[in-house]
Amino acid sequence: MTLLGFGAVHTSFGHAFVLSSNPSQSASVPTSPQQVNVFFSEPVDLRFSHLKVLDSNGEQVDKGDVHHLQNDESSLTVSVPLLKDGTYTVSTNVLSQIDGHVTDNAFVFGVGEAVVVPTNVSTTTTKSTLYLPEAIARFPTLLAQVMIVGAAFGTLWLWRPLSKITSLADSVSRIRNKVSKSLAVYYVVASIILVSSNFAILFFQAIAINGSIIDVFGTRFGTVLIERSVISFIILGLSLFELRQFRKNESYSLSKMENAGFLIMGIILLVTTSLIGHGASSKQLMPIIIDFVHNLVASLWIGGTFYLAFVLIPRLQTSTMNWYYKLGTISVWIPRNSALVVTLLGTIFITGPFLLYILEDNLALVIGSLYGTFLIAKLTFAGLMVILGGYSTIFIQKQVVNSLKIGQVIGNKSINPRLLDDPSENEGKAESIIIRFRKALVIESILGIALLLSVGLLVNTGLPESEVQNQAQATTEAVIQNVPYETTRFLDNGTKVDLSITPFEVGNNNFKVSFLDLNGEPIDVESAELKYRQVEKSIGPITVDLDKQSRGIFSVNASFGIPGTWDMEVQAIPTKQNMSGIVASFDNLIVKPNFDQLKFNVTEYPISNTTIQPLYPIYDKSRNYIWFGDTIIGSGRIFAFDINNRNYIEHKINGTNIVTLMTMDSKSNLWYVDPLTKAIGSYDPSNNISKLYPIPNYVTPSGMAIDSNDTIWITSPSSGEVMRFDPNVGNITLKLHLKDQNARPFAIVSHPVTNLIWLTDEAGKLVKIDPSTNYSITEYSPGGNKSLLSPTALLIDKTTGEIYISQHDGHRITVFNPLTKIFTDLPIINKAGLPFGMAIDKYGNLWVAEHTINKNAVIDTQKSKIREVPVKTPSPFIQWITSDSNGNIWFAEQRGNSIGVIDPSEGPMVQQQVQQSTKSSTSNTSSTVKLDINYQNFVAPAILLGIIISAFMYARSIMDLKSNISIVKAQ
């Protein structure tokens, strides 16, 4: 059943919140729309829902014909006349058909040349999230139904074992009548609270919809409320009837069938509660069922505590029973109640997390919301109740049992059993135990009431998704305005074209084009259009007419449908007759998804049957392998990880000690460095052929690269040399020294197109070697007194041609533009991480290994944003990373005995997986977690632990019950 529920999970909001609209919020449309459509998360009641369109002066301009769009009850639409250019506000006030909550929303859109103000994009009132008067009105009804259900079931549950104990049967029967009378009064009080609460809900609901109570009855929520009211009056009538029976006959007592009737009525009330709860907002049966079960078991627990605290124990305490029989009765009730409670808690451990998962599986989102605040309060009160219950079960029960054993000794030594009825020190102690037990129950009941109050606030609060959905409307727009992409083109006719794209990411963007002369003054343009196409997917060209905003300034809202490289062209017709047409090209625009909403699936593949220390991963496109060397001394191994089959393949290389740096030539053969044997090695995986080429003993390579001619380049910091190794002759054929005699060349790369060699000098410089000009050497340093701090790695962006420099001690990445010769620092990375190797993913984001912590950093280089993605291994020591043909990031865990992959995708969460792999096969034992707070990896063990504890405590309670019954019977 649980699995079926998960198969039908849908997004839930808890109230009717705006999902989308047309025109969309903050959109600018070139011409007036004919109607405004708004779509909600739940069906809304048309009679008590409003949709208005207001102009900038606050005047309503729509035609007032609000109706459902194509009979979709989750939508509202209204016609509008021909709207003038300007800014318009859409205001909604809707009544949910599901839970009866009223929500407000407002957003703006622009027509023509209107400029939408970001800070007023969308507003949602606090009333929409939590309507406090209604929440307070619903709290008593929760309390009353818990009282009824808990007392009715408690009566059936707690009394049964006592009837089987002969020594207690007579004494207990004396107070049974008085308990029944108190229970009848208890039912009357609960039913009065219930009826009063229903009227309060009706009153505040009428205020919320600005109607009458009769109007409320006409809604779907009102229909459920009528059902609740009918049941409430039935319970009130039954309870008054029972109370009258006691007045007629003092010996009257409630029967099992009568209590069962109250229980059934209470359960029906719980069903109606679930029909208007958060579970119903998902529009699925399974969440409603789970919500009902959760409410039922909670009612049995809390209501049972109320019954003990305010009905049973007070009557027992004031009865004329001797102290031994009082404690004997309590000795049965405590473990009997405990067995029930631990069973209920075990059920709550299952239904609670499952229901939360269905409603909202993002724990970080939950905790940061108003809903999460009330949920934490609820769990806190529940935890305190459990602690108090444990106190009664363990300590109070122990005192009871000890006193019973003393009573047995007294009874056995006495010839006259009346000694049990004589006042004694033990009787005083018994009275003290009963008082402590009652106090514990009263405190536990107060906590239960507080818990129900938090539930009342919880069920009247929108789910976290609805809060974030509304908060994000204004926030996103504010961010959009702060991070535009801007570029300029200078044309031969003396025209300058400025292009600004906001927010410059996948989805809707605002394109602003300015046509200026060389002095920066706007020029007259009659019309302009925008053409753009996606390069990799061959989409387009898409042609969009630009809307004139002012002299020489045009803009339009349009979308980038998918990420990747886009080419754009702006065409314009000047007003001057003798002026040629304007054509400006903007090519290689890298469009990415929203960086903050990217999802990163992390999967690790440890080797289970051997120990490795992988260091330098490289990607083999022809085989779809990840190759890496083993740095364990004496291993002499190179491993391949088959991405398709998810398994490792070991290659033993004769004569090799360890494998550190690696690269691959155009024939897909591997080249590597063995620093211990002082050799460069080659390995042909297809034919299993390896060769070793000695290098000078004084050389310990720190960097290795291969150029487009398959020539190997290595750096030697200790000797200050850059060496060229020619595979055709099997020897080093060129040694270059940098200009500075104290230079220590370290990282090295080769440009795949220009064949330029780029390397770093540990002294803080970037160096270029140009083979086409007799290996001329050019050095670059940041301006002023700046230098590169321990530049340990280089990466060339094949799209932009820029060079990324990893500053190990500078805690950042620096970007060098070979055309402008400008260094640009990206933001500081985690100082505890020490950046090392780099790679670029499918969206053009830069990844950086942080080898001293268990994280990898990802950077949006266009917007200078940084995020960190953890891996599960505590100390993986990741130095080098690479990317495959799908743009996934692969990393080697030198101290983690595994490699791993990060799969970026569009989505709000970060996920991790761990999969076990062997040399020959892969067994997929994965677990998905969500960061920053892992739902499955956190909640699933908690559920299991809760079930285990509940089972243990249940077994203990049953054993205590049997033991206590034996003790009582022995008297």
Side-chain angles (χ1 to χ4, degrees), residues 53-55 61 83-90 107-111:
V53 181
L54 311 174
D55 63 16
V61 295
L83 299 177
K84 300 178 181 179
D85 289 0
T87 301
Y88 295 87
T89 300
V90 178
F107 64 89
V108 298
F109 70 92
V111 176

Side-chain angles (χ1 to χ4, degrees), residues 869-929:
V869 179
V871 299
K872 188 172 184 180
T873 304
S875 300
F877 206 77
I878 301 170
Q879 295 190 69
W880 300 101
I881 58 179
T882 189
S883 58
D884 62 21
S885 56
N886 293 320
N888 299 322
I889 303 299
W890 292 83
F891 54 90
E893 298 182 17
Q894 190 175 13
R895 297 176 183 173
N897 203 53
S898 65
I899 66 170
V901 62
I902 303 172
D903 179 9
S905 59
E906 296 183 58
M909 294 305 301
V910 181
Q911 296 185 341
Q912 280 193 337
Q913 297 177 338
V914 176
Q915 296 188 0
Q916 300 296 331
S917 302
T918 64
K919 290 165 58 176
S920 58
S921 64
T922 303
S923 60
N924 295 328
T925 57
S926 63
S927 62
T928 304
V929 297

Side-chain angles (χ1 to χ4, degrees), residues 16 77 85 188 258 444 551 595 715 790 793 812 850 944:
T77 183
D85 289 0
V188 170
E258 289 169 325
E444 190 175 350
R551 183 171 180 253
F595 184 74
T715 56
S790 298
R812 73 188 334 149
E850 300 180 87
L944 180 60

